[in-house]
Amino acid sequence: MPDHRPAAKARLFACDTREPWRGVVAGVALGSSVTVLTYGTDTVGLGPVLHVHPYDETFVIVAGCARFFVGDGVIEAAAGEIVLGPAGVPHRFENIGPGRLQTIDIHHSPTWIQTDLG
């Protein structure tokens, strides 16, 4: 059944640059229950600091390879794969190369809530 919300759009990143994509669109801006981020880096070893969210986060690897540290686990993922960071579990990831790492990160919340731990 339709919930009668209007369609909406927002810009997540600029396509006309050679730089890695970086951006965020909060779900509340679209009337949605998810917030979408994009993260990219050309630097091997670089990635977000250890952090935690009170909701699940799904990472879509668009380009490159990453090493995810999720709780006590370590997961390597490449373009075309996804990784789940469960709610309340500290996590971080880093570019393991070669080349650019580009992700789209789906925060299962209408707002981005993050506590940095490292």
Side-chain angles (χ1 to χ4, degrees):
M1 297 292 297
D3 65 7
H4 303 290
R5 287 177 296 151
K9 77 172 192 173
R11 179 165 305 279
L12 181 59
F13 57 88
C15 296
D16 59 352
T17 178
R18 292 182 181 209
E19 298 299 314
W21 305 336
R22 295 277 180 106
V24 60
V25 174
V28 307
L30 297 174
S32 174
S33 62
V34 299
T35 293
V36 180
L37 282 77
T38 185
Y39 177 86
T41 182
D42 290 326
T43 305
V44 174
L46 190 63
V49 299
L50 185 68
H51 61 275
V52 66
H53 310 284
Y55 48 76
D56 289 348
E57 182 176 10
T58 302
F59 303 92
V60 181
I61 297 80
V62 177
C65 297
R67 181 173 296 121
F68 287 81
F69 301 87
V70 182
D72 293 331
V74 177
I75 299 171
E76 290 191 2
E81 297 181 314
I82 64 171
V83 173
L84 173 67
V89 177
H91 58 275
R92 70 179 183 87
F93 61 92
E94 61 188 23
N95 182 359
I96 58 174
R100 176 172 295 171
L101 170 65
Q102 189 67 65
T103 68
I104 294 178
D105 309 335
I106 302 164
H107 290 240
H108 298 251
S109 170
T111 58
W112 182 13
I113 304 166
Q114 177 171 308
T115 303
D116 290 345
L117 303 173

